[in-house]
């Protein structure tokens, strides 16, 4: 066996502090250049992982951010807020369980009120749980959590955000390599990510006439709290080694794709696309 990519570990519900090694969110590397100056962004799941890296990058590009997250991940959300404040921008912390329709539908209004408007919606919150038993044994509760978090919440949050999004605004959904190369152990999760790709293209068509761009980022294996909390140890030890680049990515390596898609000057004619950040795995 080759050297492990990461030491074996399990630590639900998925907090950053317990990870070995701690992920790189761009704290010491991301340099902004005013590409999102004066914008307001709502980032669901912005407490940790890819969402935290996006929040840090957006803030360094000049945006204020509102962050949705699970209440039990408060300490991670506060750490993200500290980095945003250090960039001279404001972070509004909006905890709430997005599998609850009223909570999900209320989030964009809370964000728009706190930010004084809304220019960018990043639908990033997500959940997976690797399946150890056979397909027939997956319970409705398990299916429900994955579909409600990854799909229903995305519908609810996006619907409620639209009254606040004007000409020039954009929506960025977090998809996955799992939409293109699904793992049997993540069958339910993978199906939601394929649906998110389909929805991204379709919403881009519907919202284009309103001047709203809709895109997705499809990350490959990225070192975030979600992984050690939901994958068996033997998977974590080899995490990312099956990519052409031979390693997992860091959240800091995904965030620039979100910055590009959010930027009206850089990506003003980019809509309906799925941008892969996969370490070389194909996204077509
Ligand atoms: P993460 O655990 O750091 O982030 C996911 C966040 O979603 C959590 O921090 C949590 O606050 C939020 N969340 C989950 N359920 C929620 C709920 N019911 N209500 C409110 N918030 C909720 O992990 P991550 O890997 O950064 O995940 C971010 C996104 O990236 C997810 O959509 C995931 O599917 C996607 N993704 C991750 C990888 C990877 O390898 N890490 C690969 C492809 C796609
Ligand atoms: Mg988290």
């Amino acid at each position: 066996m080759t050297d492990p990519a990461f030491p074996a570990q399990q630590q639900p519900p998925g907090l950053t502090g317990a990870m070995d090694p701690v992920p790189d969110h761009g704290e010491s590397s991301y340099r902004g250049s005013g590409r999102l100056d004066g914008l307001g962004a709502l980032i669901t799941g912005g407490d940790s992982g890819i969402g935290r890296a996006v929040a840090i990058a957006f803030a360094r590009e000049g945006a204020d951010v509102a962050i949705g997250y699970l209440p039990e991940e408060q300490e991670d959300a506060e750490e993200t807020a500290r980095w945003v404040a250090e960039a001279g921008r404001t972070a509004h912390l909006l905890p709430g369980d997005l599998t609850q329709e009223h909570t999900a539908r209320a989030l964009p209004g809370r964000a728009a009120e706190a930010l004084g408007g809304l220019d960018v919606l990043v639908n990033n919150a997500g959940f997976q749980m690797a399946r150890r038993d056979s397909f027939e044994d997956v319970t409705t509760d398990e299916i429900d959590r994955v579909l409600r978090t990854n799909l229903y919440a995305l519908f609810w949050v996006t619907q409620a955000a639209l009254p606040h999004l004007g000409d020039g605004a954009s929506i960025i959904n977090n998809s996955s390599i799992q939409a293109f190369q699904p793992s049997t152990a993540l069958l339910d999760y993978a199906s939601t990510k394929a649906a998110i790709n389909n929805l991204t293209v379709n919403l881009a068509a519907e919202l284009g006439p309103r001047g709203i761009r809709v895109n997705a980022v499809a990350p490959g294996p990225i070192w975030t709290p979600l992984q050690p909390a939901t994958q068996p140890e033997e998977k974590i030890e080899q995490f990312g080694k099956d990519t052409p680049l031979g390693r997992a990515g860091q959240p800091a390596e995904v965030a620039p794709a979100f910055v590009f898609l959010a930027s009206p000057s850089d990506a003003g004619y980019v809509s309906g696309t799925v941008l892969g950040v996969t370490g070389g795995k194909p996204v077509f």
Side-chain angles (χ1 to χ4, degrees), residues 44 98-101 104-105 121 123-128 142-160 173-176 179 187-200 203:
T44 67
L98 298 179
T99 64
Q100 303 304 308
E101 179 172 359
R105 287 196 183 280
L121 168 62
N123 285 311
N124 166 74
F127 183 72
Q128 66 177 24
E142 290 168 332
I143 297 169
D144 238 18
R145 179 161 182 189
V146 171
L147 266 67
R148 289 177 80 87
T149 308
N150 299 2
L151 270 186
Y152 279 62
L154 191 149
F155 273 87
W156 293 327
V157 169
T158 304
Q159 284 180 325
N173 300 322
N174 204 333
S175 174
S176 172
L187 182 141
D188 47 357
Y189 171 85
S191 74
T192 67
K193 296 301 186 177
I196 286 170
N197 286 353
N198 184 283
L199 182 67
T200 298
L203 261 186

Side-chain angles (χ1 to χ4, degrees), residues 42-55:
L42 168 59
I43 305 166
T44 67
D47 57 298
S48 59
I50 296 168
R52 179 186 290 179
V54 171

Side-chain angles (χ1 to χ4, degrees), residues 31-120:
R31 284 168 187 244
S33 56
R35 290 196 286 171
L36 306 179
D37 247 347
L39 300 186
L42 168 59
I43 305 166
T44 67
D47 57 298
S48 59
I50 296 168
R52 179 186 290 179
V54 171
I56 292 172
F58 276 21
R60 291 187 186 178
E61 294 290 356
D64 290 328
V65 299
I67 290 166
Y69 56 97
L70 281 171
E72 51 264 46
E73 299 177 31
Q74 180 70 23
E75 67 183 73
D76 270 355
E78 287 174 9
E79 174 72 0
T80 301
R82 269 193 291 278
W83 285 107
V84 170
E86 193 160 292
R89 308 306 310 189
T90 307
H92 303 277
L93 298 185
L94 305 175
D97 180 355
L98 298 179
T99 64
Q100 303 304 308
E101 179 172 359
H102 60 277
T103 306
R105 287 196 183 280
L107 181 63
R110 294 166 71 198
E113 192 180 345
L115 293 164
L118 195 60
D119 305 289
V120 183

